[in-house]
Amino acid sequence: MDLKIKLEQLHQKVVGLKELISTEEATKNAFVMPFIQILGYDIFNPTEVVPEHVCDIGTKKGEKVDYVIKNNDEPIFIIECKHWKENVDAHNSQLHRYYHVSKTRFGVLTNGIVYNFYTDLEKPNIMDEKPFFTINIEDLKDSSIKILESFTKKDYNLESILDSAEALKYIKAIRKEFEKEIENPSDELVKLLVNRFFEKPLTANRMISFKEYAKKALTTSINESISFRLKSALSINEQIEKQDDDIKTSPSIDENNDSKIVTTEEELEGFQIVKAILREKIPSVRIAYRDTLSYFGILLDDNNRKPLCRLHFNTANKYLETFHNGKDAGEKVLLNNLDEIYNYREQLHQTLENYS
């Protein structure tokens, strides 16, 4: 089974059981051991998973790390566990001691939900103060799952992990500092940016102003970037939905609806009038029509989700349906003749603006 699916199943288990877990031992049994199994290690095989492994530290004898994980009889990482309610970031000193006397390159500190992975990038055989990688069972990200694959029994590769560990550690640190700067720009960052375009001296009062400007500029830039990405994603979704709508609204061969739909000259003339009105705002190629059994629809970008108006010419009285109050709030008006469509120029233009 895919690693992501297994982790999501574990997440559901954590959500359902954690309020019933009252001890550290229960946390290990309910959450940590299944996690080790997900990585592909046999928790019942002492050549792969060694619980309560003794780590004598100087004069301290009999101290035990919760788990040692082995591969080909070589210890590859140790795991120290805490109760799920505890903050794992506040308990790395104990793992630090165990790491120092172990033969592994990686130490894991966990509360069964958050897993912090450490190594010795700063000094050999001395565990770093900060983890190079963290995965949160309650906030699974595809990028984190991809990194975790390197620790599975099947894909474990020491060199590969060490090659990426430094990058992961410092990218995480840089991102954290960047987030601090967005929230409260430092004098150093403000000077770096402002000195590129502002030639006057940066007095204390100006610094206060420019720090506020910098915060707004950074926040606006990020928000606009997010908005652009969301619009791009929504555009893709709309294209997919349009294709789905086309499939749903397209008459089947069995129903033989094609033979029942008759596009009249009046409908085409009405379309040309609407097209002439809207060409004041957009290119004519963006204005399309689809004739149905009940109405003649005029659409923006040939998208069923963007109706510009509808012509109801299949009855004794003729109606124009406009959508200036929203695509789900169509309003019908009686037409005595086709030229009266020109009287609704503002409504048609407003409908167009609603989609911009």
Side-chain angles (χ1 to χ4, degrees):
M1 192 184 298
D2 182 78
L3 180 61
K4 181 177 181 180
I5 296 174
K6 292 180 180 179
L7 290 170
E8 288 174 345
Q9 290 174 344
L10 178 59
H11 170 224
Q12 294 303 317
K13 182 178 182 180
V14 168
V15 171
L17 292 179
K18 66 181 183 181
E19 295 301 332
L20 304 175
I21 305 298
S22 58
T23 65
E24 181 180 304
E25 192 66 26
T27 300
K28 290 194 288 185
N29 292 334
F31 301 155
V32 180
M33 290 176 68
F35 180 81
I36 296 171
Q37 283 184 305
I38 287 173
L39 296 182
Y41 301 99
D42 185 354
I43 59 174
F44 302 109
N45 184 347
T47 66
E48 289 187 7
V49 179
V50 184
E52 297 296 317
H53 181 72
V54 176
C55 289
D56 290 336
I57 305 169
T59 58
K60 290 187 177 182
K61 304 296 182 181
E63 290 219 349
K64 298 176 181 178
V65 66
D66 288 313
Y67 299 102
V68 173
I69 309 302
K70 293 185 175 183
N71 195 350
N72 294 325
D73 207 34
E74 289 292 325
I76 55 177
F77 58 93
I78 58 176
I79 302 177
E80 181 62 20
C81 308
K82 300 299 174 184
H83 184 256
W84 70 268
K85 288 186 177 180
E86 295 193 44
N87 181 357
V88 290
D89 294 330
H91 293 281
N92 67 357
S93 59
Q94 189 176 11
L95 181 66
H96 190 280
R97 297 198 306 272
Y98 296 152
Y99 184 92
H100 180 65
V101 297
S102 72
K103 297 180 181 179
T104 65
R105 292 299 303 273
F106 305 106
V108 180
L109 183 59
T110 182
N111 60 5
I113 298 174
V114 176
Y115 291 78
N116 284 341
F117 287 72
Y118 297 83
T119 189
D120 55 356
L121 294 174
E122 304 296 337
K123 298 178 181 179
N125 299 321
I126 299 177
M127 191 183 85
D128 298 337
E129 290 296 323
K130 301 292 184 181
F132 70 89
F133 167 57
T134 297
I135 187 166
N136 187 335
I137 298 300
E138 294 187 328
D139 185 22
L140 292 169
K141 295 179 172 62
D142 288 343
S143 57
S144 297
I145 294 172
K146 184 66 176 176
I147 296 167
L148 186 64
E149 287 179 354
S150 301
F151 287 92
T152 62
K153 180 180 177 181
K154 178 171 65 74
D155 295 323
Y156 178 78
N157 186 297
L158 175 63
E159 288 73 22
S160 175
I161 298 173
L162 289 175
D163 285 344
S164 61
E166 183 176 41
L168 290 169
K169 177 183 177 70
Y170 292 119
I171 288 172
K172 181 179 179 181
I174 291 170
R175 178 178 174 179
K176 187 174 182 179
E177 292 303 316
F178 180 66
E179 290 170 351
K180 288 181 183 177
E181 292 288 358
I182 295 173
E183 182 64 28
N184 185 23
S186 63
D187 291 355
E188 293 81 5
L189 178 64
V190 173
K191 289 177 182 178
L192 175 66
L193 297 174
V194 173
N195 284 338
R196 294 181 178 181
F197 60 84
F198 190 77
E199 297 180 355
K200 298 178 181 179
L202 271 178
T203 63
N205 287 336
R206 285 192 182 277
M207 176 60 75
I208 293 172
S209 297
F210 274 117
K211 287 185 78 169
E212 187 62 31
Y213 300 156
K215 181 177 180 178
K216 289 182 179 179
L218 290 170
T219 303
T220 301
S221 178
I222 291 171
N223 288 341
E224 288 181 353
S225 177
I226 293 172
S227 177
F228 175 78
R229 290 176 182 272
L230 286 174
K231 285 182 178 179
S232 298
L234 288 172
S235 177
I236 293 172
N237 287 337
E238 281 187 353
Q239 292 176 25
I240 294 172
E241 289 171 354
K242 173 181 173 296
Q243 293 172 359
D244 291 341
D245 287 342
D246 289 346
I247 293 172
K248 292 176 183 177
T249 58
S250 294
S252 67
I253 295 174
D254 293 338
E255 293 170 345
N256 198 27
N257 280 336
D258 283 342
S259 61
K260 298 179 182 178
I261 297 175
V262 178
T263 302
T264 66
E265 289 186 6
E266 278 190 320
E267 288 172 335
L268 292 175
E269 185 178 350
F271 171 66
Q272 293 301 329
I273 293 173
V274 172
K275 194 173 183 180
I277 294 171
L278 295 176
R279 281 184 63 188
E280 298 172 11
K281 299 289 185 178
I282 59 172
S284 61
V285 294
R286 297 190 63 191
I287 308 166
Y289 75 83
R290 297 189 202 178
D291 202 358
T292 71
L293 288 173
S294 56
Y295 60 82
F296 182 96
I298 301 176
L299 310 170
L300 177 63
D301 299 328
D302 201 21
N303 187 339
N304 269 341
R305 296 173 61 84
K306 294 183 178 181
L308 295 168
C309 67
R310 290 173 181 170
L311 307 179
H312 296 268
F313 288 359
N314 295 332
T315 59
N317 294 320
K318 295 178 175 56
Y319 297 89
L320 171 69
E321 184 178 5
T322 60
F323 297 91
H324 56 286
N325 291 324
K327 64 183 180 66
D328 297 318
E331 291 185 8
K332 288 184 180 180
V333 292
L334 179 66
L335 296 176
N336 295 310
N337 57 68
L338 296 186
D339 287 340
E340 287 186 358
I341 296 175
Y342 287 105
N343 297 335
Y344 300 94
R345 174 182 276 100
E346 290 183 6
Q347 289 89 333
L348 291 170
H349 286 177
Q350 180 60 50
T351 303
L352 199 60
E353 290 181 10
N354 292 345
Y355 297 132
S356 61

